[in-house]
Amino acid sequence: MLSLTATTLKSSLFTRSKTHGFSNTRPVYPKPFTTMNAALIPASNRQAPPKQQLYQPFRPPPSPIPPKFRSLDTAGKIEVLTDRLGLWFEYAPLISSLYTEGFTPPSIEELTGLSGVEQNRLIVGAQVRDSLVQSGAKSELIAAFDNNGAERLYEIRLLNNAQRVAAAEYIVDHDFDMKGAQDLARAIKDYPHRRGDVGFGDFDYNLPGDCLSFMLYRKSREHRSPSEVRTTLLEQALETAVTEKAKKAVARELHGESEEERAKEEEIKIIRVPVVRLRFGEVAGASSVVVLPVCKAEEGEEKLFEAPMEFESGGEFGVVEAEKDWSRWIVLPGWAPVVAVTKGGVAVSFSDDRKVLPWKGKGEGIMVVIDREKKIVEADNGYYYLVLDDGEMKLDRGLVWKEKGVNESLGMVVLVVRPPRDDDDEWQINDEDWD
């Protein structure tokens, strides 16, 4: 049967026509035999085309109106708002619902007695409350705003979710009214814009109490000393401060510096270890550079001793030659403290500065440049040394190591380098960060 079909197809591929008396044979291409081709394919090998659901049904967002109010008509919504039936955050969404129906704030005020300011406060307060719920705030905290909470929650509307939770907890713990909540929110929002002001680094931005204390502290400096207003503001700031560092800063402003603090400030002035942050492109733009071998702190002191002691550059191209092969090197700008190390310089890398530095760390990697030629520990607070303490390399003053009975170190610290970062403008460590 197949041969017959093929013969039939072959004979029908050409047709004869006469053109000007001549016979012309031309091919005629038949239409594809889709049905016959499909019939020739075994049923077991045929696959149905995948079904794609192109139509996606519309799913409206969940209604903010509580279920018990969703079936109300316009008159029912107005009645609920007029009589304040339920909790404020339950009937607050009804105001927005009436807006969509064509009502205006003045018309709603005329029907319900709620002024336009109150309407806005209820709507925004309910949205802030919803954000607290979505942020996972404790149910006890949410319940604390069930009665007359719209005014206080409205004041923290400009804060992000994390700040809202912290501010709400502070408001409840200290029983703040609307004015107190407003001052707290302003203090939190304003704090980042006060970078560079006196005392900025003494307060913790993540704590609402410290933000509020800093605002009071800053306001106190606008009044002459001595002044009753200034004293009152500082006393409030001292009472509000949370961290010890903030309390000391406020107390110093209120009572003056103690002898111990003056001595510490004099001690800070003689610190001889610069802490810098490397900037992007700084090496490329430097007029001179220094090449140092690098050791990882976790590799221990043996690896530190194996690093080449002498290396110098020479020739027309400044080729660096070392006394032995080494796999890890770092290029730094020609800073004076590093250039002064003529022999035995090495950079020790640490993955977390909080584990090695005696001052407030940032939780980032650092390079500590030491001079291995200067191992003898001197009882001078101006010099720092790298010492293997309890199996870990740590950095501290010579006087501290002397008191612990340490007389020899891995090397004297000449520089601490932080990695480049776009979001950090503090190239030099603040004096207040030193322990």
Side-chain angles (χ1 to χ4, degrees), residues 383-399:
Y383 295 106
Y384 279 71
Y385 298 88
L386 191 67
V387 173
L388 193 65
D389 185 33
D390 294 332
E392 295 183 353
M393 293 185 185
K394 294 182 180 179
L395 181 156
D396 216 326
R397 297 185 180 96
L399 181 61

Side-chain angles (χ1 to χ4, degrees), residues 168-219:
E169 291 176 348
Y170 195 88
I171 290 171
V172 172
D173 293 341
H174 294 80
D175 196 22
F176 274 8
D177 57 6
M178 183 179 68
K179 181 62 170 60
Q182 183 183 76
D183 291 339
L184 179 65
R186 286 179 177 176
I188 296 174
K189 197 69 178 177
D190 183 65
Y191 186 91
H193 304 289
R194 297 294 175 177
R195 180 180 292 273
D197 286 7
V198 176
F200 177 86
D202 294 322
F203 299 81
D204 191 339
Y205 174 55
N206 298 310
L207 300 176
D210 265 23
C211 292
L212 186 58
S213 179
F214 177 68
M215 184 185 72
L216 297 169
Y217 170 86
R218 184 175 51 81
K219 285 184 176 180

Side-chain angles (χ1 to χ4, degrees), residues 65-66 68-69 72-101 103-116 118-123 126:
I65 301 177
K68 64 179 181 179
F69 292 149
L72 293 177
D73 57 6
T74 302
K77 295 175 183 177
I78 294 175
E79 181 182 359
V80 170
L81 292 173
T82 303
D83 298 332
R84 315 295 194 270
L85 300 177
L87 298 172
W88 66 270
F89 59 87
E90 294 178 334
Y91 58 73
L94 298 180
I95 301 173
S96 301
S97 178
L98 291 176
Y99 288 163
T100 60
E101 295 179 19
F103 287 84
T104 61
S107 61
I108 294 177
E109 179 179 1
E110 183 178 355
L111 293 171
T112 64
L114 289 171
S115 65
E118 290 176 310
Q119 295 173 34
N120 183 53
R121 194 171 288 158
L122 286 169
I123 294 173

Side-chain angles (χ1 to χ4, degrees), residues 39 42 47 96 103 164 193 244 270 368 380 420:
Q47 295 182 354
S96 301
F103 287 84
R164 286 177 180 178
H193 304 289
E244 288 298 323
I270 64 172
V368 178
D380 188 335

Side-chain angles (χ1 to χ4, degrees), residues 279-394:
R279 288 174 289 183
F280 289 106
E282 188 172 9
V283 174
S287 58
S288 63
V289 296
V290 176
V291 181
L292 293 173
V294 178
C295 299
K296 293 182 180 180
E298 55 269 22
E299 293 175 342
E301 58 180 334
E302 293 184 2
K303 195 69 173 179
L304 185 68
F305 295 146
E306 292 177 4
M309 291 287 292
E310 293 182 307
F311 35 89
E312 57 182 14
S313 59
E316 296 180 354
F317 295 97
V319 177
V320 177
E321 295 183 3
E323 60 179 347
K324 64 174 72 173
D325 292 337
W326 196 253
S327 60
R328 303 179 73 240
W329 298 84
I330 186 173
V331 181
L332 295 175
W335 293 319
V338 184
V339 174
V341 182
T342 58
K343 180 182 178 181
V346 65
V348 185
S349 64
F350 294 86
S351 59
D352 191 342
D353 61 348
R354 294 171 297 183
K355 298 180 180 180
V356 61
L357 301 180
W359 58 80
K360 184 179 180 181
K362 297 178 179 292
E364 62 182 357
I366 57 171
M367 286 281 183
V368 178
V369 181
I370 65 172
D371 186 352
R372 287 173 290 172
E373 287 285 284
K374 299 178 181 179
K375 296 181 180 180
I376 304 302
V377 177
E378 298 182 12
D380 188 335
N381 276 331
Y383 295 106
Y384 279 71
Y385 298 88
L386 191 67
V387 173
L388 193 65
D389 185 33
D390 294 332
E392 295 183 353
M393 293 185 185
K394 294 182 180 179

